[in-house]
Amino acid sequence: MKTESAALFLALAASATAFAPSGMSAVRSNSVSLNILKDEVEKSELDKALGREIDYKPGKAQTAFANKYRDLVGQEVRTVGEAFEEFTEILGSPVNPLYKSMVSDIVGTTHLITVNARFKRDAIWSLGMMSALDLLFKNYPEAGAGAKIQSALFEASGLDEDAIRSEAASISSWVEGKSKDEISAALRGEGDSSVAKIASAAKADEFWMYSRFFGLGLVKMMETVGIEQNADETYPVMEEWMGKSLDKPFFTACNDSDLYFKIKNKLDMMETMMKEIEIREKKRMAERLENKAEAALKKAERDAEFAAVAAADKEEKAEAKVEEKEAQPFFADDE
């Protein structure tokens, strides 16, 4: 029955080529004809494959991956919306409109990474996390608000902020004074450094999960050793460190580094714009203060002139009274 269903499916697929160009139709027709089941062995293999698909039940697969994470079957996982709701509640204040989309992105990204069963935090990941946060909030307009947003992010994601900061600092300290080749060797698992231990663990884990902040941690390490921070310079280094040293796919890491530089350029432009606005506001404020000072000075001069005129008028009236008094005749008493 399964074989007949498969044959029917192939026939329907072949009939769909009527809507394709004639050349493509011929190719697909030939492809379908070549895949017609030739003998009972092929039919049996197809039956087994279809049986595996039809009889599949979540958490019941007999694979190495399923066996490793079988104990997690049925566990509830928060949605991104729930994570962001908790983040907003913890923060308790609105995010600056210029940063709202980027904050939403990093909250969602961090949540999706940390709820993945394959995720294992390491110090390189922590370095990338702190590097991304430092870049995002270094020029946040409201003083102290950036630190509150970071703390809310860590708490909403179930992460230990102090531990992550400590791990990031330890890797930064280790990278100081190292060369690109020395880091490549450590990423191959050579030596007993923390980076070598992270690399060895990643190599030994068949289901090791790469995530964005791990790649950004490598970018930060490149910056520390003096590699110019642009996509053209970091791409071959990322390919070497991820592909050749760690023996892991490097395309996603390269894409993440490109995204990092795009966001960095955007933030640099935003910083320039905010500085220009600040300079204009300071200039306007200085002009307003100067105008107020000039107005106050003119008022003081007018007041002084009015006071001088009033004093002169008063003195003149006093002198007039004295003169008037002196001009009056003096009659003595003859008696």
Side-chain angles (χ1 to χ4, degrees):
M1 181 63 183
K2 293 173 184 175
T3 306
E4 292 174 357
S5 299
L8 177 60
F9 175 78
L10 292 174
L12 290 173
S15 66
T17 59
F19 299 97
S22 57
M24 183 63 70
S25 176
V27 172
R28 290 181 178 175
S29 178
N30 291 336
S31 177
V32 170
S33 65
L34 289 173
N35 285 283
I36 294 298
L37 304 177
K38 297 177 181 178
D39 53 35
E40 292 300 323
V41 175
E42 290 185 358
K43 291 180 181 180
S44 175
E45 291 297 324
L46 181 59
D47 279 343
K48 289 180 182 179
L50 289 173
R52 285 197 298 270
E53 294 298 326
I54 294 171
D55 298 335
Y56 171 77
K57 294 180 181 179
K60 301 297 183 180
Q62 296 301 317
T63 63
F65 182 86
N67 291 333
K68 183 173 183 178
Y69 299 107
R70 195 180 307 281
D71 58 318
L72 300 177
V73 172
Q75 290 191 9
E76 291 188 4
V77 179
R78 289 188 311 162
T79 65
V80 173
E82 290 170 339
F84 195 81
E85 183 179 355
E86 183 179 354
F87 164 79
T88 304
E89 183 179 346
I90 294 169
L91 182 59
S93 58
V95 176
N96 186 289
L98 290 173
Y99 288 78
K100 194 168 185 179
S101 63
M102 288 181 285
V103 169
S104 298
D105 177 73
I106 199 168
V107 170
T109 299
T110 305
H111 170 73
L112 291 174
I113 290 171
T114 54
V115 298
N116 193 309
R118 295 165 56 207
F119 170 69
K120 291 181 180 179
R121 194 184 83 224
D122 56 58
I124 295 178
W125 187 93
S126 297
L127 177 62
M129 183 72 174
M130 294 312 307
S131 176
L133 292 175
D134 290 344
L135 173 67
L136 183 57
F137 294 108
K138 69 175 181 177
N139 293 307
Y140 196 82
E142 291 81 16
K148 292 181 180 178
I149 294 173
Q150 293 180 45
S151 297
L153 168 63
F154 287 124
E155 185 176 345
S157 302
L159 297 170
D160 186 335
E161 180 176 359
D162 293 335
I164 288 175
R165 291 185 181 277
S166 177
E167 291 168 358
S170 69
I171 292 294
S172 293
S173 177
W174 180 85
V175 173
E176 288 289 342
K178 298 292 190 300
S179 67
K180 178 176 74 69
D181 292 336
E182 287 176 311
I183 295 176
S184 294
L187 290 172
R188 289 194 295 270
E190 299 174 8
D192 58 355
S193 67
S194 56
V195 173
K197 291 176 182 176
I198 292 169
S200 297
K203 286 172 175 286
D205 187 353
E206 179 184 1
F207 305 112
W208 179 81
M209 186 185 89
Y210 166 85
S211 62
R212 177 180 298 175
F213 298 119
F214 186 90
L216 298 186
L218 295 180
V219 172
K220 185 62 178 178
M221 292 166 70
M222 294 179 202
E223 180 183 354
T224 304
V225 300
I227 296 170
E228 190 174 348
Q229 293 292 282
N230 61 64
D232 293 335
E233 296 297 328
T234 58
Y235 192 100
V237 181
M238 186 67 78
E239 181 178 353
E240 178 184 341
W241 287 2
M242 280 294 298
K244 296 179 181 177
S245 297
L246 277 172
D247 196 25
K248 302 291 183 182
F250 60 87
F251 293 109
T252 303
C254 291
N255 288 335
D256 286 339
S257 67
D258 289 347
L259 177 63
Y260 172 82
F261 293 124
K262 288 178 182 177
I263 294 175
K264 185 176 185 298
N265 291 336
K266 181 179 178 180
L267 289 170
D268 289 342
M269 291 175 62
M270 188 185 301
E271 179 185 359
T272 302
M273 181 184 69
M274 292 174 66
K275 285 183 177 179
E276 289 175 352
I277 293 172
E278 184 180 359
I279 290 170
R280 285 199 297 268
E281 286 299 318
K282 287 182 177 179
K283 187 176 179 180
R284 290 173 183 171
M285 185 180 294
E287 289 176 352
R288 287 195 294 269
L289 292 174
E290 185 178 353
N291 292 336
K292 286 183 179 180
E294 289 180 359
L297 182 60
K298 289 179 179 179
K299 184 178 182 299
E301 290 175 352
R302 287 196 303 271
D303 291 345
E305 290 177 0
F306 290 150
V309 170
D313 186 56
K314 184 177 181 181
E315 184 179 353
E316 185 179 347
K317 287 180 179 179
E319 290 176 355
K321 284 183 179 181
V322 171
E323 289 176 358
E324 183 181 353
K325 187 175 181 181
E326 290 177 350
Q328 290 179 356
F330 176 76
F331 297 98
D333 190 0
D334 293 338
E335 297 183 359

